């Protein structure tokens, strides 16, 4: 359970010094670093998703206070996920030291030293802040780290053969195996409403990845899987908002559109509304445009983010789908440029695609950071928007505790 601590006291005449504390949760050995303003502690305590809106608000508020003290490069880096093959995770020391917010893992097999390498990386981050270590563990044909993480059937298979309670148990089982491997975030479940019995491909991004073609069933089963992951202490990133079921194609390959917005509102949006009500802590945005809502890919559309934040009332982390996808490149948008646009639209963490090599991934992350920083310097991206995104990412895997004040009291008379 995430825990937040606030301190308050009555002061008569006082000199007040404000402190912020970041408590980072990982499976690593406990270390503590203290300065005059910030203390960062890593402990082996297991974190699970909190359902307390008040506590989440306090944690985010404290994170905003912390990131307000950061320099621009640190802010930009916090909003970037660096792609890496699981066999190469040991080469990500530069990413950890630079304070990138996440590592996005690819590949079906992890290295023999994977667990130790991830633990070592978590010790190299600025102030000991925990990075998000994420991958797509959906089930069926979309599975990673198969030598470390438990296998799952396709979501559609689970939806047809298991009760919601059993699906929660599956989420818990796979989540525990992820957590023990040092992977704290699962880019799953897919909440798209798609009943077609096909493997995902260029024509259909979902098929077997969807729990059901019935909105209410997709909502029930998807939320059940999310709850299982959360119970294991793994952040569940539900996707692909506002719903890819019935899309005209797969955005990995090129431009695609969802169902028209009036239709999507009563079908594809239903599972996401249910997930937000159930306490979802993270949502991934699709790269498809939404006819009747936005002509832009959703990942760079302020209109789409506005629906999630204000219509659904979502307060958590918003993650892009891969900004190296065909839907973005068809618009001649590079990953760095699309990333700046996504942050400006209101997203918090930007993802790229399959890594060519560790060096290439680190270089792309650097260029992305420079693009985001450049937009702030040029005045096209508000600093407050970047700070809000960095705070969301920091708060997702770290308990940020901000004492209101420490004081020395002087008695009058």
């Amino acid at each position: 359970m995430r825990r937040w601590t606030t301190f308050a006291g009555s002061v008569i005449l006082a000199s007040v010094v404000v402190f912020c504390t970041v408590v980072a949760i990982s499976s690593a050995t406990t270390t503590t670093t203290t300065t005059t303003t910030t203390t960062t502690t890593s402990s082996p305590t297991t974190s699970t998703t909190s359902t307390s809106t008040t506590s989440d608000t306090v944690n985010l508020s404290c994170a905003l206070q912390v990131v307000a003290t950061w320099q621009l490069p640190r802010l930009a880096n916090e909003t970037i996920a660096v792609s890496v093959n699981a066999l190469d995770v040991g080469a990500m020391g530069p990413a950890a030291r630079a304070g990138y917010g996440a590592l996005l893992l690819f590949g079906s097999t992890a290295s023999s030293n994977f667990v130790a390498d991830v633990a070592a990386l978590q010790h190299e981050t600025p102030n000991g802040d925990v990075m998000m270590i994420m991958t797509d563990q959906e089930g069926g044909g979309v599975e990673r780290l198969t030598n470390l993480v438990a296998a799952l059937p396709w979501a559609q298979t689970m939806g047809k053969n298991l009760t919601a309670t059993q699906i929660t148990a599956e989420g818990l089982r796979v989540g525990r195996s992820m957590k023990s491997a040092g992977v704290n975030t699962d880019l799953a479940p897919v909440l798209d409403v798609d009943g077609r019995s096909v493997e995902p491909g260029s024509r259909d991004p979902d098929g077997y990845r969807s729990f059901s073609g019935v909105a209410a069933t997709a909502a029930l089963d998807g939320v059940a899987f999310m709850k299982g992951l959360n119970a294991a202490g793994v952040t569940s990133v539900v996707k692909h908002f506002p719903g890819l079921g019935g899309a005209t194609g797969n955005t990995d390959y090129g431009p695609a559109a969802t169902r028209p917005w009036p239709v999507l509102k009563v079908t594809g949006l239903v599972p996401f509304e249910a997930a937000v009500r159930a306490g979802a802590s993270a949502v991934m945005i699709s790269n498809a445009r939404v006819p009747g809502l936005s002509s832009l890919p959703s990942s760079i559309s302020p209109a789409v983010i506005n629906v999630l934040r204000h219509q659904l009332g979502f307060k958590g982390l918003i993650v892009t789908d891969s900004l190296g996808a065909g839907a973005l490149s068809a618009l001649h948008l590079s990953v760095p440029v699309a990333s700046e646009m996504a942050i400006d639209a209101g997203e918090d963490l930007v993802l790229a695609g399959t890594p060519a090599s560790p060096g290439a991934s680190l270089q792309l992350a650097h260029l992305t950071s420079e693009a985001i920083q450049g937009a702030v310097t040029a005045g096209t991206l508000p600093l407050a928007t970047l700070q809000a995104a960095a705070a969301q990412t920091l708060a997702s895997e770290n308990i940020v505790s901000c004492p209101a004040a420490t004081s020395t009291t002087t008695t009058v008379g």
Side-chain angles (χ1 to χ4, degrees):
M1 177 69 69
R2 286 182 182 164
R3 299 179 179 85
W4 296 263
T5 305
T6 57
F7 298 86
S10 59
V11 179
I12 303 172
L13 293 177
S15 58
V16 179
V17 182
V18 177
F19 292 87
C20 290
T21 303
V22 180
V23 181
I25 304 302
S26 73
S27 57
T29 304
T30 301
T31 62
T32 304
T33 304
T34 305
T35 69
T36 56
T37 57
T38 304
T39 302
T40 302
T41 304
S42 297
S43 78
T45 307
T46 299
S47 171
T48 58
T49 300
S50 173
T51 58
S52 169
T53 301
T54 301
S55 295
D56 286 340
T57 301
V58 170
N59 197 47
L60 182 58
S61 176
C62 293
L64 281 165
Q65 293 182 48
V66 170
V67 303
T69 68
W70 291 358
Q71 297 298 309
L72 189 54
R74 177 79 170 90
L75 284 169
N77 289 356
E78 183 69 23
T79 68
I80 298 168
V82 183
S83 297
V84 62
N85 190 288
L87 293 172
D88 299 322
V89 73
M92 286 293 110
R97 292 188 291 272
Y100 287 107
L103 294 182
L104 173 57
L105 304 173
F106 289 84
S108 60
T109 305
S111 66
S112 58
N113 296 322
F114 179 87
V115 176
D117 286 342
V118 169
L121 290 174
Q122 296 287 20
H123 280 296
E124 295 189 59
T125 62
N127 300 320
D129 297 341
V130 169
M131 299 176 73
M132 301 186 81
I133 309 296
M134 54 176 52
T135 196
D136 301 271
Q137 187 67 10
E138 299 175 15
V142 185
E143 294 189 309
R144 317 289 187 203
L145 287 69
T146 55
N147 56 328
L148 293 178
V149 175
L152 283 167
W154 285 108
Q156 189 178 109
T157 301
M158 287 190 279
K160 287 181 176 180
N161 296 286
L162 302 179
T163 65
T165 299
Q166 290 171 324
I167 291 171
T168 296
E170 287 293 281
L172 179 63
R173 179 178 63 85
V174 75
R176 284 173 172 167
S177 68
M178 295 178 76
K179 191 73 172 179
S180 66
V183 181
N184 55 32
T185 305
D186 191 4
L187 301 176
V190 170
L191 295 187
D192 304 332
V193 180
D194 189 334
R196 291 173 283 187
S197 296
V198 296
E199 291 199 4
S202 60
R203 294 184 177 181
D204 184 353
D206 290 322
Y208 294 141
R209 299 170 72 195
S210 170
F211 282 96
S212 176
V214 178
T217 303
L220 179 68
D221 293 346
V223 169
F225 190 80
M226 177 190 81
K227 288 180 176 179
L229 290 173
N230 290 342
V234 170
T235 297
S236 168
V237 182
V238 300
K239 60 187 185 185
H240 308 81
F241 187 86
L244 274 181
T248 60
N250 189 332
T251 56
D252 289 347
Y253 299 89
T258 68
R259 290 171 174 160
W261 181 233
V263 176
L264 202 63
K265 285 194 293 185
V266 295
T267 53
L269 206 61
V270 170
F272 293 96
E273 291 171 330
V276 171
R277 287 195 302 269
S281 57
V283 175
M284 177 184 284
I285 308 298
S286 84
N287 284 320
R289 62 182 179 86
V290 184
L293 178 63
S294 177
S295 60
L296 292 171
S298 295
S299 52
I300 57 172
S301 171
V304 171
I305 306 306
N306 184 65
V307 169
L308 180 57
R309 285 287 188 216
H310 300 292
Q311 183 175 321
L312 272 65
F314 179 66
K315 306 299 184 184
L317 181 76
I318 303 180
V319 182
T320 73
D321 203 342
S322 170
L323 296 179
L328 281 303
S329 60
L331 298 178
H332 307 290
L333 296 176
S334 66
V335 170
V337 171
S339 295
E340 179 270 317
M341 295 175 71
I343 297 296
D344 190 41
E347 281 152 289
D348 307 309
L349 184 67
V350 295
L351 276 55
T354 307
S357 68
S361 287
L362 290 168
Q363 177 65 11
L364 179 58
H366 175 72
L367 293 173
T368 300
S369 181
E370 285 192 328
I372 294 171
Q373 293 177 58
V376 173
T377 302
T380 57
L381 174 63
L383 175 61
T385 299
L386 179 59
Q387 289 174 330
Q392 283 281 5
T393 305
L394 177 67
S396 291
E397 290 301 327
N398 293 275
I399 301 169
V400 187
S401 179
C402 289
T406 61
S407 60
T408 57
T409 302
T410 303
T411 304
V412 178

